[in-house]
Amino acid sequence: MKRFALKTYGCQMNVYDADTLRTALLRSGWEESDDDSAAVVIYTGCSIRDKAEHKIWSDLGRHAETWKRSGRPVVAVTGCIAQNIGKDILGRFPWVRVVSGPRSIGLLPDALAQALTGGECIDLRDRDASAYHAIGVPPVERENRWKAHVTIAHGCDNFCTYCIVPYVRGRFLSRAPREILDEIRQLVATGVREITLLGQNVNSYGADFSDGYRFSALLRDAASIAGVDRLRFVTSHPKDFTADICDAMDDCATICPSINLPIQSGSDRILALMNRSYTLERYTATIEMIRDRFPDAGVTSDLIVGFPGETEVDFNASVDALRRFRFDLVHTAAYSPRSGTVAATMDGQLPEEEKNRRLNYVNDLQRGIALEINKSLVGKRFSILLDGFAPRGEDTLQGRTDTDKVVLLRGGRGEDLGRFALVEISEADHWCLHGSLIRFLD
Ligand code: SAH
Ligand code: SF4
Ligand code: F3S
């Protein structure tokens, strides 16, 4: 029996890829195991920031001893990191026998089998940024039984100046609607209740089609599939978020009122340097449109502090934006130069201490805002999909509201996972709500 272990880092795009790979391997006779008994350990790694890459470097080093002793396990590195620095990884660790880029995933199962028989290292970094080798299976072998992500478009053509993604994931390529809808049907057939459509910029889905089929049409078609109790989508791009998306959300009750709309900066000068293609005014108009139509929508965002040349004035504009928009959650990051991107060579790179000072400041501010928002929900009732155990505590279940708030429910039982529950919020933290069960809804 060929045994593999999977170690996945990074965003949901990597998780989706790793889940499809797991499914393909299990279907072709492999067995999943822990690292110690695996013949092949497969890392799917992220390159978005320096820190993300460091994690994998240190993990890869840990195989030295068993490799010297037994020549096992064979290690494969895939995902964005492999495309970015796969060559360095191959040169550094003799136990890494396969590297493969995100768009070559369909070639991996055969490559892994071949690597087990010895021979040369296999280098499957993507050579053509427009080609795509699909693996052709839905991600049915996942960690979470009730929720699944479905990638609707590969790559990204936006080339924000700080970002490595267009270089490692290649050109924007929408998957055919029929392929996506079929995949959703297959997922629902295995008991999935919540689907999240996934892409670096889901709003531009279909921009590469000639028949006018766009993201809002896909939303409507996906929402109409029987068994899809909830439909979400990430990530939206402020330059492409149009009113027809709100129309689809209005018309289809299963599309959740929760939107991630990364702002990245509150300063027009920095937004232009970032090549984000919108101004604060345009961003504001989009948020207002969303909140006019869905006053209770959960709205989250992403923000980078310490971009090259970011002055105190620019930084304060980002701080003001957080105060003004009062997001439910913000993924904040200190700017990390990525080699090969435009921003990495810009003048005005800021020292680490200053970037960290700014990061701590916005994190403190946002924590306070999120706590205030969450406290205002105490006493309210929500329907949540119970989707797992809370990080700490065996007797506490966790679920999410349609607005994507985490709710912890004490006294839950494992057999209630996968059910919708009506809960009343009793307490609030900045990152979660605590609720008590009113009744199950199914
Ligand atoms: N496609 C999405 C985000 C993809 S990357 C978008 O357009 O917003 C996820 C997040 O990582 C980004 O929103 C950004 O905030 C952060 N990020 C990307 N590159 C970064 C870098 N070089 N340094 C710091 N944060 C970065
Ligand atoms: Fe990166 Fe910009 Fe593409 Fe998002 S839209 S993946 S930030 S280049
Ligand atoms: Fe990382 Fe690649 Fe996602 S770089 S954030 S895993 S698209």
Side-chain angles (χ1 to χ4, degrees):
M1 183 64 80
K2 293 178 288 187
R3 294 208 169 92
F4 70 94
L6 275 179
K7 299 200 156 273
T8 311
Y9 300 83
C11 73
Q12 288 298 331
M13 302 225 83
N14 269 3
V15 174
Y16 174 88
D17 289 349
D19 288 344
T20 55
L21 180 64
R22 173 189 291 114
T23 308
L25 291 176
L26 291 174
R27 286 184 178 181
S28 56
W30 290 72
E31 189 180 291
E32 189 166 11
S33 70
D34 55 21
D35 305 15
D36 293 338
S37 46
V40 182
V41 179
I42 307 156
Y43 290 86
T44 309
C46 172
S47 265
I48 202 78
R49 288 181 281 275
D50 223 24
K51 257 193 214 150
E53 288 189 346
H54 285 164
K55 266 192 207 150
I56 290 235
W57 278 106
S58 69
D59 271 23
L60 285 173
R62 292 203 193 116
H63 295 286
E65 202 188 306
T66 48
W67 178 260
K68 260 183 232 143
R69 210 175 345 107
S70 61
R72 292 184 59 231
V74 164
V75 174
V77 184
T78 174
C80 301
I81 199 174
Q83 186 64 21
N84 196 30
I85 53 168
K87 199 157 175 264
D88 303 343
I89 291 174
L90 275 179
R92 169 93 174 265
F93 303 107
W95 41 94
V96 176
R97 309 305 295 164
V98 181
V99 292
S100 120
R103 298 174 84 98
S104 301
I105 187 163
L107 308 176
L108 251 183
D110 283 348
L112 295 174
Q114 198 189 323
L116 276 184
T117 64
E120 296 286 296
C121 290
I122 304 173
D123 183 353
L124 292 177
R125 279 174 299 150
D126 305 333
R127 277 174 187 76
D128 176 348
S130 300
Y132 189 84
H133 301 278
I135 201 160
V137 295
V140 289
E141 303 288 350
R142 294 176 321 280
E143 300 220 330
N144 194 300
R145 280 174 57 191
W146 299 281
K147 299 201 298 190
H149 285 74
V150 173
T151 294
I152 62 169
H154 306 291
C156 180
D157 288 352
N158 290 325
F159 288 94
C160 301
T161 53
Y162 51 81
C163 184
I164 193 81
V165 172
Y167 302 92
V168 292
R169 286 202 165 254
R171 299 290 55 77
F172 182 77
L173 178 68
S174 301
R175 292 178 71 194
R178 195 184 326 139
E179 203 179 299
I180 296 168
L181 299 170
D182 273 355
E183 188 164 305
I184 295 175
R185 280 189 204 97
Q186 292 184 63
L187 288 164
V188 166
T190 67
V192 169
R193 309 197 68 177
E194 179 179 306
I195 297 282
T196 303
L197 305 179
L198 183 65
Q200 292 301 346
N201 175 358
V202 287
N203 311 141
S204 63
Y205 175 80
D208 48 345
F209 294 156
S210 53
D211 61 0
Y213 189 90
R214 288 289 180 271
F215 180 58
S216 55
L218 180 70
L219 271 179
R220 287 173 188 274
D221 285 343
S224 70
I225 293 176
V228 175
D229 295 312
R230 275 182 173 179
L231 185 65
R232 302 183 188 277
F233 53 92
V234 282
T235 299
S236 289
H237 196 303
K239 77 179 172 64
D240 295 314
F241 195 101
T242 43
D244 58 317
I245 298 170
C246 290
D247 295 341
M249 291 170 68
D250 229 351
D251 291 343
C252 311
T254 50
I255 305 178
C256 294
S258 102
I259 286 166
N260 174 235
L261 197 69
I263 185 169
Q264 307 300 4
S265 169
S267 153
D268 282 345
R269 201 179 69 80
I270 297 296
L271 286 171
L273 286 173
M274 287 176 162
N275 190 31
R276 287 292 285 178
S277 310
Y278 55 84
T279 57
L280 186 63
E281 191 183 344
R282 167 104 180 260
Y283 185 89
T284 308
T286 306
I287 290 276
E288 281 173 357
M289 171 177 76
I290 293 166
R291 286 193 167 147
D292 272 354
R293 298 193 58 175
F294 309 98
D296 297 326
V299 182
T300 62
S301 198
D302 296 17
L303 178 78
I304 297 176
V305 298
F307 186 83
E310 185 187 75
T311 61
E312 274 300 318
V313 174
D314 297 317
F315 174 64
N316 285 334
S318 292
V319 169
D320 287 346
L322 295 189
R323 291 210 174 99
R324 174 166 171 201
F325 296 124
R326 296 180 64 79
F327 299 112
D328 291 275
L329 181 127
V330 181
H331 307 280
T332 55
Y335 169 70
S336 168
R338 309 316 292 132
S339 166
T341 62
V342 174
T345 57
M346 282 181 183
D347 291 339
Q349 303 284 332
L350 290 159
E352 288 305 312
E353 312 82 72
E354 181 55 21
K355 289 192 270 188
N356 285 332
R357 185 191 70 79
R358 294 181 190 189
L359 184 63
N360 289 335
Y361 188 90
V362 292
N363 283 345
D364 285 349
L365 171 66
Q366 181 54 35
R367 214 175 288 125
I369 293 171
L371 183 61
E372 278 171 20
I373 296 173
N374 287 352
K375 279 193 167 156
S376 74
L377 302 175
V378 170
K380 296 215 157 82
R381 291 184 174 192
F382 292 97
S383 153
I384 63 170
L385 172 60
L386 294 166
D387 60 35
F389 285 98
R392 282 181 301 256
E394 299 254 298
D395 66 333
T396 305
L397 297 186
Q398 168 175 303
R400 286 190 185 241
T401 64
D402 59 352
T403 54
D404 215 23
K405 296 268 179 204
V406 175
V407 181
L408 304 186
L409 190 64
R410 213 169 262 141
R413 304 168 310 166
E415 58 264 41
D416 294 327
L417 289 173
R419 298 179 76 183
F420 280 93
L422 182 68
V423 295
E424 185 167 304
I425 304 306
S426 51
E427 266 179 77
D429 272 321
H430 69 92
W431 72 276
C432 75
L433 302 165
H434 300 265
S436 52
L437 179 68
I438 303 297
R439 64 173 183 280
F440 286 107
L441 297 169
D442 53 10

